[in-house]
């Protein structure tokens, strides 16, 4: 479970820069993974988005400074806020009172200590998977930019799918499919070497035409089937990360993540999650 210790080292690094600006790429480097995977793994392991954890820790430190007599403006600037108004809003969200009241004796405040991640052994529910090596294959589809904070993408990506379905794009895309894997694809390209983007696509060797083309690189994939409401995808991802990955003998590889929808009905979807993996050294 070396990667759990690497994550804890990244959290320790975070504490050395708070309450100031945080470079997620530095934390990810300390954890030995991409910024995308670091944010996703953190959210599933900690039970909250990385941005929320940072905000809570920053406001905990801010409260301590205010009670020690620091001026509100000085604390706001130390926390990276350009205006007292923005700082006031963030402080209220965490503590329930404005920062000016935090300086008063007996002020009710909330403390969020640093966390230390660990894996709790769980079991009792089967988790089906298979591991496959695949050569590179071409895809065609719609391409969208993604945000640098992963929790924003959890909101944006479903909206992309809803719009594509409403406009008849999914049916037109399905007509272009002539390769494997069979089904509509959600492809997350979130390597640190390029801007993050997301494809709604199909495996196809057809000319691009109005679509954007991309070649999914050769990789080894851990593939997990699922079915039921589309909302269950994140639950399956959480199980993969917290139950399967720590003891699998694999680690994340530098390749896209895939969602394969054999039946995209959001009420009764049939899908597979493809995680790019490599044997641990």
């Amino acid at each position: 479970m070396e990667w759990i210790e690497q994550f804890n080292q990244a959290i320790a690094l975070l504490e050395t820069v708070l309450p100031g600006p945080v470079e997620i790429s530095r934390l990810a480097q300390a954890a030995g993974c991409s910024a995308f995977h670091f944010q996703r793994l953190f959210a599933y392991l900690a039970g909250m988005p990385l941005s929320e954890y940072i905000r809570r820790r920053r406001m905990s430190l801010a409260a301590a400074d205010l009670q020690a007599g620091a001026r509100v403006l000085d604390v706001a600037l130390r926390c990276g806020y350009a205006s007292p108004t923005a700082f006031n809003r963030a402080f209220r969200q965490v503590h329930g009172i404005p920062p000016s009241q935090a300086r008063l004796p007996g002020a009710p405040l909330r403390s969020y200590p640093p966390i230390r991640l660990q894996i709790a052994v769980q079991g009792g529910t089967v988790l089906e998977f298979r591991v496959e090596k695949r050569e590179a294959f071409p895809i065609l589809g719609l391409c969208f930019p993604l945000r640098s904070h992963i929790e924003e993408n959890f909101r944006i990506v479903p909206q992309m799918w809803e719009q594509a379905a409403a406009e008849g794009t999914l049916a037109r895309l399905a007509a272009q499919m002539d390769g494997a894997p069979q089904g509509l694809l959600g492809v997350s390209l979130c390597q640190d070497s390029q801007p993050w983007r997301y494809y709604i696509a199909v495996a196809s060797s057809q000319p691009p035409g109005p679509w954007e083309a991309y070649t999914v690189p050769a990789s080894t994939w851990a593939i997990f089937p699922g079915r039921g409401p589309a909302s269950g995808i994140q639950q399956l991802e959480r199980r993969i990360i917290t139950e399967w990955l720590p003891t699998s003998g694999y680690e994340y590889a530098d390749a896209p993540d895939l969602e394969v929808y054999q039946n995209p009905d959001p009420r009764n979807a049939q899908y597979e999650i493809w995680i790019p993996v490599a044997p641990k050294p």
Side-chain angles (χ1 to χ4, degrees):
M1 302 203 184
E2 302 88 356
W3 65 275
I4 292 293
E5 288 307 314
Q6 287 179 298
F7 261 67
N8 285 323
Q9 290 172 15
I11 293 170
L13 173 62
L14 172 62
E15 289 298 313
T16 67
V17 299
L18 286 174
V22 175
E23 294 182 30
I24 295 178
S25 59
R26 283 190 63 203
L27 303 182
Q29 186 176 19
C33 61
S34 70
F36 172 78
H37 287 143
F38 180 76
Q39 291 183 74
R40 185 165 68 167
L41 289 166
F42 183 94
Y44 287 146
L45 290 168
M48 73 180 79
L50 176 63
S51 61
E52 175 64 17
Y53 174 75
I54 291 173
R55 185 169 66 91
R56 291 182 182 185
R57 286 293 302 134
R58 185 174 276 142
M59 292 303 106
S60 293
L61 296 172
D65 286 345
L66 291 169
Q67 290 213 308
R71 296 192 311 157
V72 172
L73 180 59
D74 291 340
V75 175
L77 293 174
R78 195 177 304 137
C79 290
Y81 288 87
S83 72
T85 301
F87 174 68
N88 187 302
R89 186 183 310 113
F91 194 91
R92 278 179 175 272
Q93 288 175 342
V94 171
H95 295 285
I97 60 173
S100 57
Q101 290 186 18
R103 305 179 66 190
L104 302 177
L109 297 167
R110 297 166 184 162
S111 176
Y112 294 93
I115 66 173
R116 180 173 177 82
L117 299 177
Q118 61 183 12
I119 289 293
V121 177
Q122 302 180 28
T125 305
V126 67
L127 187 59
E128 298 180 4
F129 75 97
R130 66 186 190 276
V131 176
E132 293 185 6
K133 289 185 177 181
R134 290 260 181 161
E135 296 298 323
F137 61 91
I139 64 172
L140 295 177
L142 302 175
C143 183
F144 304 88
L146 290 177
R147 308 288 179 84
S148 59
H149 292 287
I150 192 171
E151 60 269 18
E152 296 181 43
N153 299 321
F154 287 152
R155 174 180 52 83
I156 294 171
V157 169
Q159 294 175 354
M160 299 174 186
W161 281 92
E162 290 174 6
Q163 181 177 350
E167 295 175 350
T169 304
L170 299 184
R172 293 194 297 273
L173 258 181
Q176 301 297 311
M177 181 169 49
D178 64 5
Q182 290 283 300
L184 293 169
L185 309 178
V187 183
S188 299
L189 279 71
C190 299
Q191 288 74 42
D192 289 339
S193 58
Q194 56 190 334
W196 293 3
R197 56 198 194 277
Y198 183 87
Y199 281 86
I200 297 176
V202 293
S204 177
S205 59
Q206 300 295 319
W211 313 105
E212 293 201 40
Y214 174 75
T215 299
V216 177
S219 187
T220 298
W221 309 90
I223 302 172
F224 301 81
R227 65 184 312 144
S231 58
I233 292 176
Q234 287 191 24
Q235 182 179 353
L236 178 56
E237 288 183 341
R238 181 188 299 274
R239 291 195 64 203
I240 293 168
I241 289 169
T242 60
E243 297 179 25
W244 181 83
L245 188 60
T247 58
S248 66
Y250 289 98
E251 61 187 10
Y252 265 108
D254 189 22
D257 285 28
L258 306 181
E259 302 157 2
V260 182
Y261 297 94
Q262 293 98 349
N263 172 16
D265 181 355
R267 295 164 297 181
N268 187 28
Q270 184 175 350
Y271 53 86
E272 292 179 337
I273 295 176
W274 291 37
I275 302 296
V277 294
K280 287 184 179 178

